[in-house]
Amino acid sequence: AQKITQTQPGMFVQEKEAVTLDCTYDTSDQSYGLFWYKQPSSGEMIFLIYQGSYDEQNATEGRYSLNFQKARKSANLVISASQLGDSAMYFCAMREGMDSSYKLIFGSGTRLLVRP
Amino acid sequence: DAMVIQNPRYQVTQFGKPVTLSCSQTLNHNVMYWYQQKSSQAPKLLFHYYDKDFNNEADTPDNFQSRRPNTSFCFLDIRSPGLGDAAMYLCATSRTGSTDTQYFGPGTRLTVL
């Protein structure tokens, strides 16, 4: 079974509007971490935001916020006030376990295109 | 200032000709990772080092090897590249592994002719 599911292969958003990128995950661990990365066409993976499974509040980093719904096992990324430079591939990723697990499991990604 | 550096950014090699990709970091992180990302796919972990301890993923082909001579540098060696090894290779680092974020370099795009 897929561990990380991103159901939106592609999304459009108008500049200055907000957009939500969906991510659902599957794990039996109580401790895990959820990440969002942005990958522009240049190829570099840019860390955006992190949510720990025990964090009670939704993570926020500037224009990025994570809508964490633990019972639903979803961790959607919300980008507010979209900019043209936000056009990129976005990956949701999960790391299971808190001790010796180093592996990031990535979703298949969502390609976001911001329209002027 | 770049914190995870990969060289070269683009590498062209011939089928079967060994190639080495380089990664260096200025973060003094304990863990270094190598990921393979094929076109339109998610990155896939090949292996990682925690300090000098090497950890290979079960499905990483034997064709792929790695060296970490010191904290700052890590190399990916592809002994006999095949056409199927053409991909973006991403290096990442993290301070430890428990809750720390992985920071990625810009990647090396490998073409196999």
Side-chain angles (χ1 to χ4, degrees), chain A residues 38-54:
Chain A
K38 171 185 177 181
Q39 188 175 41
S41 56
S42 58
E44 182 177 1
M45 296 282 282
I46 302 167
F47 166 71
L48 296 177
I49 197 165
Y50 166 79
Q51 179 86 40
S53 58
Y54 292 120

Side-chain angles (χ1 to χ4, degrees), chain A residues 37 39 95 98 102-103 107, chain B residues 37 50 97-100 102:
Chain A
Y37 285 87
Q39 188 175 41
R95 184 180 55 236
M98 289 289 286
Y102 300 93
K103 186 174 182 176
Chain B
Q37 186 181 23
Y50 191 120
S98 56
T99 59
D100 290 326
Q102 292 185 21

Side-chain angles (χ1 to χ4, degrees), chain B residues 18-23 32-36 46-49 54-57 60-69 74-81 85 89:
Chain B
V19 66
T20 295
L21 309 183
S22 168
C23 177
M32 294 187 77
Y33 311 78
W34 280 105
Y35 288 84
Q36 179 193 62
L46 295 173
F47 26 60
H48 75 272
Y49 274 95
F54 177 70
N55 297 270
N56 200 27
E57 291 299 302
T60 297
D62 293 339
N63 198 25
F64 292 87
Q65 308 275 313
S66 186
R67 297 170 282 134
R68 190 178 185 186
C74 194
F75 300 98
L76 169 63
D77 301 308
I78 308 177
R79 292 192 298 188
S80 181
D85 296 328
Y89 290 88

Side-chain angles (χ1 to χ4, degrees), chain A residues 6 33 35 37 39-50 89 91 95-109 111, chain B residues 4 9-10 31 33 35 37 40-45 48 50 55 57 59 88 90 94 96-107 109:
Chain A
Q6 294 181 254
F35 301 80
Y37 285 87
Q39 188 175 41
S41 56
S42 58
E44 182 177 1
M45 296 282 282
I46 302 167
F47 166 71
L48 296 177
I49 197 165
Y50 166 79
M89 195 75 167
F91 288 97
R95 184 180 55 236
E96 293 178 297
M98 289 289 286
D99 47 10
S100 60
S101 175
Y102 300 93
K103 186 174 182 176
L104 272 182
I105 302 165
F106 286 87
S108 55
R111 187 171 298 279
Chain B
V4 183
R9 294 292 309 277
Y10 300 90
V31 194
Y33 311 78
Y35 288 84
Q37 186 181 23
S40 302
Q41 295 184 19
K44 178 179 173 297
L45 183 65
H48 75 272
Y50 191 120
N55 297 270
E57 291 299 302
D59 56 355
M88 174 73 91
L90 294 162
S94 67
T96 60
S98 56
T99 59
D100 290 326
T101 298
Q102 292 185 21
Y103 294 96
F104 285 79
R109 193 173 295 279

Side-chain angles (χ1 to χ4, degrees), chain A residues 10-75:
Chain A
M11 290 275 289
F12 290 97
V13 65
Q14 205 65 35
E15 193 179 7
K16 298 180 186 177
E17 291 186 351
V19 63
T20 298
L21 306 184
D22 294 341
C23 173
T24 58
Y25 59 92
D26 183 28
T27 181
S28 55
D29 281 0
Q30 296 301 309
S31 295
Y32 51 89
L34 296 158
F35 301 80
W36 277 93
Y37 285 87
K38 171 185 177 181
Q39 188 175 41
S41 56
S42 58
E44 182 177 1
M45 296 282 282
I46 302 167
F47 166 71
L48 296 177
I49 197 165
Y50 166 79
Q51 179 86 40
S53 58
Y54 292 120
D55 295 341
E56 293 186 354
Q57 292 197 329
N58 287 342
T60 60
E61 289 285 350
R63 293 187 299 112
Y64 304 108
S65 60
L66 202 150
N67 184 0
F68 181 47
Q69 299 190 35
K70 197 169 180 177
R72 289 181 150 187
K73 293 189 176 178
S74 74

